[in-house]
């Protein structure tokens, strides 16, 4: 996201295989370019241009890759993208062994860079397109961090953060290659920590749990400490830490503290060398001044952000936030012309963002789009006749009242379901109780099975339940029939005629009853991810667990867990 991009460090993954293709002097030179892209980008660009004309094909590819990196760091994304696409085509047409680590690493680096170009532009559909297109050409775990980032951007914070953490744990520290410095390896991991920290900040916006901001600041400090221990760009590292902690303070509502942290930018003039970092300082200060009712100062930094956005075109969500602040500020100054102007710009930008959302990418960041849309419409409506405005307000009021009523009714029903489940769990002595149909009294149809066979099946199933065999992923009709020394036809008939349910329904009830009981009795189990809980009860994925859980209880697992936590 900032000056030191993750993909620059990816070259660190090429060690012995790399050395078989390039001479030591060539490897040392690429390492030098890699470092200079951070400390002396113009020199790195000149060197990269030179080796991009090398007779050695692989050396030439890396030269072209670093040229594209140079333009990426300058926020010239169109040029960078053009060079990367051309480079990928050349790599694919080359005679390199497609199964070799060198080929897969080089291709993965290029795709990774394209991913971040589109992600920075808010074009998540295109970012996902490149990951999907090359997922068979690159090792399956190569893009875990990218998929985690996309999940976070789409609002799936639990799974997104879990994926980012898993990638952090599985990325091993490398033996240093020829010409490689230890700090460049550590920079790779510092970037990962910062990405997780930013994910926690986004998660906080959704949940408002202050502990998430504590987690975010923890990861930011770990990353900064790693860099400062090696004296790596200390001034810039401290500036970024102040900026990230300032955002956490603002999210927590402490705008005075946030502003004091943003004002530390004066101590670090080095940030002027990176336009995107300056943008984030400008936007953060504009947000603080807006909430502190210092309208003119807020507008000053908003205008700075809008001016620099014309150069970078990075983050439509941040631009929307800027337009919204300007709309509110001009409205407070009674400048209806400019308030109307930026309200219109907000609506146009929302339409652009929603165009991407329509391609199945739902991303809501610092400001809820629906709230901004309503605020913008209200500003625009103020220029119309009073009756029209009043009519609109009445409709909005009615919608709000109905929404509150529906929400209250829905919450009340869910709470009743929760209490009913807890009561049933307390009363139940075995796991045979159906979660949805506890009071079921429908008459059973005439049974055609022998009473002795029915008793045999009942006792057999009872033993399997006591052993919790139903937690086995292989717990299927044929599996159970074999355990009971019968065939699937008789067993299926038993479930349909005697138990009045299908085998699938029987299994679902047992598993969900187990989950409900264990979540109630074992607080540590509530800390598990939905994926982990699903696997424990025999399901392959979390989606299946959620679907079955809702079917059986009428509640989501997350709601049930949250109510248990609050009850305790």
């Amino acid at each position: 996201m900032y000056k030191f991009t993750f993909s620059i460090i990816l070259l660190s993954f090429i060690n012995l295989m790399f050395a078989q293709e390039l001479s030591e002097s060539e490897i040392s030179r690429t390492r030098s370019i890699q470092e200079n892209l951070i400390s002396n980008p113009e020199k790195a660009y000149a060197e990269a241009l030179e080796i991009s004309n090398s007779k050695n094909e692989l050396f030439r590819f890396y030269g072209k890759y670093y040229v594209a990196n140079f333009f990426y760091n300058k926020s010239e994304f169109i040029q960078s993208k053009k060079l990367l696409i051309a480079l990928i085509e050349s790599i694919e047409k080359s005679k390199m062994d497609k199964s070799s680590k060198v080929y897969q690493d080089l291709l993965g680096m290029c795709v990774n860079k394209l991913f971040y170009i589109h992600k920075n532009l808010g074009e998540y559909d295109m970012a996902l397109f490149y990951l999907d297109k090359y997922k068979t050409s690159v090792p399956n775990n190569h893009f875990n961090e990218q998929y985690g980032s996309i999940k976070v951007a789409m609002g799936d914070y639990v799974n997104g953060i879990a994926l980012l953490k898993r990638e952090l744990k599985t990325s091993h520290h490398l033996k240093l290659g020829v010409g490689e410095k230890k700090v460049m390896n550590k920079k790779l991991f510092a970037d990962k920590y910062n990405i997780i920290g930013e994910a926690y900040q986004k998660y906080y916006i959704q949940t408002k749990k202050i502990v998430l901001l504590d987690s975010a600041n923890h990861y930011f400090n770990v990353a900064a400490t790693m860099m400062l221990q090696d004296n790596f760009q200390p001034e810039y590292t401290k500036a970024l830490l102040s900026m990230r902690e300032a955002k956490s303070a603002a999210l927590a509502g402490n705008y005075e503290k946030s502003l004091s942290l943003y004002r530390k930018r004066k101590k670090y003039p080095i940030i002027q060398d990176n336009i995107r970092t300056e943008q984030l300082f400008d936007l953060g200060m504009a947000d603080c001044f807006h909430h502190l009712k210092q309208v003119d100062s807020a507008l000053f930094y908003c205008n700075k952000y809008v001016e620099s956005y014309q150069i970078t075109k990075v983050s439509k969500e941040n631009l929307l936030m800027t337009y919204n602040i300007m709309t509110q500020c001009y409205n407070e100054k009674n400048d209806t012309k400019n308030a109307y102007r930026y309200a219109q710009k907000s609506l146009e930008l929302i339409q652009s963002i929603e165009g991407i959302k329509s391609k199945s990418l739902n991303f809501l960041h610092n400001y809820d789009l629906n709230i901004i849309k309503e605020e913008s419409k209200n500003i625009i409506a103020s220029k119309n006749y009073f009756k029209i405005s009043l009519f609109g307000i009445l409709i909005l009021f009615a919608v709000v009242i109905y929404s509150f009523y529906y929400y209250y009714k829905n919450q009340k029903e869910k709470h009743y379901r929760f209490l009913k489940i807890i009561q049933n769990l307390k009363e139940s002595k075995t796991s045979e109780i159906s979660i949805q149909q506890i009071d079921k009294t429908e008459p059973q149809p005439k049974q055609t099975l022998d009473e002795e066979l029915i008793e045999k099946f009942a006792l057999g199933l009872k033993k399997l339940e006591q052993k919790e065999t139903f937690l086995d992923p292989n717990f299927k009709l044929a599996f159970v029939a074999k355990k009971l020394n019968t065939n699937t036809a008789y067993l299926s008939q038993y479930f349909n005629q005697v138990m009045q349910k299908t085998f699938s329904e029987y299994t679902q009830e047992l598993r969900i009853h187990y989950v409900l009981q264990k979540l109630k009795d074992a607080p540590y189990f509530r800390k598990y991810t939905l994926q982990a809980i699903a696997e424990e009860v025999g399901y392959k994925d979390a989606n299946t667990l959620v679907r079955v859980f809702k079917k059986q209880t009428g509640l989501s697992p997350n709601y049930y867990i949250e109510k248990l936590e609050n009850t305790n």
Side-chain angles (χ1 to χ4, degrees):
M1 185 176 182
Y2 308 116
K3 183 174 182 179
F4 308 129
T5 62
F6 165 76
S7 58
I8 291 177
I9 314 303
L10 283 177
L11 186 56
S12 299
F13 285 101
I14 303 174
N15 289 314
L16 296 178
M17 184 64 75
F18 192 158
Q20 293 173 7
E21 299 289 340
L22 299 180
S23 67
E24 288 194 3
S25 63
E26 289 172 331
I27 295 174
S28 294
R29 194 168 180 189
T30 58
R31 303 298 188 194
S32 174
I33 294 173
Q34 175 186 352
E35 185 176 355
N36 283 332
L37 276 170
I38 297 174
S39 59
N40 192 342
E42 295 298 334
K43 181 179 180 181
Y45 175 62
E47 292 181 352
L49 273 180
E50 184 177 339
I51 68 172
S52 65
N53 294 312
S54 171
K55 293 180 180 180
N56 183 326
E57 184 181 60
L58 182 59
F59 199 32
R60 184 166 67 247
F61 286 160
Y62 277 98
K64 292 182 178 180
Y65 173 74
Y66 284 130
V67 170
N69 263 271
F70 171 78
F71 287 106
Y72 176 92
N73 290 346
K74 292 182 63 179
S75 298
E76 297 182 20
F77 293 133
I78 301 303
Q79 178 65 9
S80 182
K81 176 184 174 182
K82 179 181 177 181
L83 293 172
L84 287 167
I85 291 176
L87 177 55
I88 288 176
E89 291 177 355
S90 298
I91 294 171
E92 291 179 319
K93 292 178 181 178
S94 71
K95 296 181 180 180
M96 295 175 65
D97 180 4
K98 303 298 187 289
S99 63
S100 69
K101 187 176 186 299
V102 175
Y103 174 85
Q104 293 178 348
D105 281 338
L106 184 57
L107 185 62
M109 289 162 59
C110 294
V111 174
N112 172 75
K113 184 60 65 177
L114 281 174
F115 168 86
Y116 279 106
I117 287 175
H118 288 292
K119 181 178 180 294
N120 286 337
L121 293 173
E123 299 168 353
Y124 298 124
D125 52 338
M126 290 302 299
L128 283 171
F129 166 79
Y130 283 107
L131 295 190
D132 185 66
K133 181 177 180 180
Y134 292 98
K135 65 183 179 183
T136 58
S137 304
V138 178
N140 292 333
N141 63 349
H142 199 95
F143 296 135
N144 280 344
E145 182 174 293
Q146 289 80 354
Y147 279 116
S149 297
I150 284 293
K151 283 181 177 291
V152 169
M154 292 168 66
D156 185 2
Y157 301 110
V158 174
N159 291 317
I161 292 174
L163 194 56
L164 290 172
K165 286 185 175 180
R166 187 187 313 162
E167 203 279 335
L168 175 64
K169 291 180 180 179
T170 56
S171 293
H172 56 284
H173 289 270
L174 306 171
K175 288 182 65 175
L176 298 182
V178 176
E180 186 178 5
K181 293 185 177 180
K182 180 181 178 182
V183 69
M184 299 304 288
N185 192 313
K186 292 180 69 175
K187 180 63 178 66
L188 167 67
F189 286 86
D191 286 342
K192 296 178 187 295
Y193 279 105
N194 282 325
I195 290 173
I196 294 173
E198 290 165 2
Y200 271 116
Q201 285 182 330
K202 293 182 175 69
Y203 194 9
Y204 170 81
I205 295 172
Q206 181 190 68
T207 65
K208 301 303 180 184
K209 294 181 178 179
I210 199 68
V211 67
L212 298 176
L213 293 181
D214 294 336
S215 295
N217 288 338
H218 166 72
Y219 279 94
F220 294 147
N221 277 279
V222 169
T225 299
M226 291 177 68
M227 294 296 90
L228 293 174
Q229 284 175 345
D230 288 302
N231 201 35
F232 183 83
Q233 296 277 312
E235 298 305 308
Y236 191 67
T237 298
K238 291 176 184 177
L240 293 181
L241 178 60
S242 292
M243 182 188 72
R244 289 168 173 137
E245 290 182 331
K247 183 174 181 180
S248 290
L251 290 173
N254 192 341
Y255 295 103
E256 292 284 359
K257 178 182 178 181
S258 178
L259 187 59
S260 68
L261 288 168
Y262 279 124
R263 280 175 166 160
K264 287 187 177 182
R265 64 191 297 176
K266 295 179 180 180
K267 296 171 57 178
Y268 311 115
I270 191 172
I271 68 170
Q272 297 172 11
D273 297 335
N274 190 294
I275 188 172
R276 283 187 284 161
T277 303
E278 270 210 296
Q279 279 183 324
L280 293 175
F281 270 98
D282 289 337
L283 180 56
M285 294 185 72
D287 185 44
C288 289
F289 281 124
H290 167 54
H291 284 92
L292 294 172
K293 305 301 182 183
Q294 299 183 38
V295 176
D296 290 333
S297 294
L299 287 173
F300 171 79
Y301 284 103
C302 281
N303 282 312
K304 281 192 65 179
Y305 182 90
V306 171
E307 183 180 348
S308 61
Y309 179 85
Q310 305 309 314
I311 301 173
T312 65
K313 303 292 185 183
V314 172
S315 184
K316 292 180 180 179
E317 296 96 323
N318 283 347
L319 181 63
L320 178 58
M321 178 180 174
T322 306
Y323 284 161
N324 185 51
I325 293 174
M326 296 178 82
T327 300
Q328 301 307 309
C329 286
Y330 280 121
N331 194 45
E332 291 174 20
K333 289 170 67 72
N334 294 320
D335 186 343
T336 56
K337 180 179 179 180
N338 276 317
Y340 179 82
R341 174 189 173 195
Y342 284 101
Q344 286 281 26
K345 285 180 175 288
S346 294
L347 290 178
E348 291 170 2
L349 191 53
I350 288 173
Q351 291 175 357
S352 173
I353 294 175
E354 288 181 339
I356 299 174
K357 285 174 59 181
S358 68
K359 299 175 183 178
S360 78
L361 294 170
N362 178 22
F363 50 98
L364 297 175
H365 289 276
N366 295 344
Y367 278 65
D368 181 85
L369 295 183
N370 292 325
I371 294 176
I372 297 176
K373 183 184 290 187
E374 288 301 325
E375 291 175 344
S376 300
K377 284 182 177 178
N378 289 339
I379 296 297
I380 294 172
S382 67
K383 296 182 68 69
N384 299 327
Y385 294 105
F386 174 75
K387 289 184 179 181
I388 297 176
S389 300
L390 182 60
F391 182 71
I393 292 173
L394 290 174
I395 291 177
L396 182 60
F397 182 75
V399 170
V400 171
I401 293 298
Y402 177 79
S403 298
F404 273 109
Y405 170 77
Y406 179 82
Y407 175 80
Y408 173 78
K409 182 181 179 182
N410 182 259
Q411 292 299 110
K412 187 175 181 180
E413 290 176 354
K414 288 164 68 176
H415 184 63
Y416 174 79
R417 288 177 182 269
F418 172 79
L419 294 177
K420 184 69 174 176
I421 290 171
I422 298 300
Q423 183 62 32
N424 290 337
L425 290 174
K426 290 179 179 179
E427 296 174 355
S428 67
K429 301 299 182 182
T430 71
S431 59
E432 297 175 346
I433 296 179
S434 169
I435 293 162
Q436 271 191 315
Q437 301 177 332
I438 294 172
D439 300 323
K440 186 172 182 179
T441 57
E442 294 180 7
Q444 298 181 1
K446 183 178 180 180
Q447 300 172 0
T448 59
L449 290 172
D450 181 81
E451 289 295 331
E452 185 176 340
L453 189 60
I454 292 175
E455 184 177 356
K456 173 189 174 183
F457 286 168
L459 290 174
L461 290 172
K462 178 68 174 178
K463 291 179 180 179
L464 292 178
E465 291 173 13
Q466 290 174 344
K467 294 179 180 179
E468 298 182 342
T469 312
F470 54 85
L471 299 180
D472 191 327
N474 298 315
F475 191 80
K476 303 185 186 302
L477 189 65
F479 175 88
V480 176
K482 185 176 181 180
K483 290 284 186 181
L484 300 182
N485 294 317
T486 186
N487 59 52
T488 56
Y490 278 128
L491 189 58
S492 179
Q493 188 177 0
Y494 171 81
F495 278 105
N496 292 328
Q497 293 184 1
V498 179
M499 298 196 72
Q500 291 288 284
K501 65 186 70 173
T502 65
F503 177 80
S504 176
E505 291 170 339
Y506 166 75
T507 305
Q508 290 174 4
E509 289 178 5
L510 289 176
R511 288 176 172 176
I512 297 306
H513 186 273
Y514 174 88
V515 171
L516 291 169
Q517 191 74 58
K518 191 160 185 179
L519 285 171
K520 175 179 176 294
D521 297 338
Y524 72 87
F525 195 62
R526 303 169 199 165
K527 305 301 181 183
Y528 286 14
T529 65
L530 293 182
Q531 179 65 34
I533 295 174
E535 292 175 357
E536 175 151 335
V537 297
Y539 292 122
K540 291 183 179 180
D541 58 78
N543 290 335
T544 302
L545 172 68
V546 171
R547 175 175 56 78
V548 175
F549 194 100
K550 285 184 177 179
K551 176 184 175 182
Q552 293 292 320
T553 68
L555 306 174
S556 70
N558 285 333
Y559 177 87
Y560 181 72
I561 293 170
E562 182 178 354
K563 292 293 288 184
L564 286 173
E565 291 290 319
N566 292 338
T567 301
N568 290 343

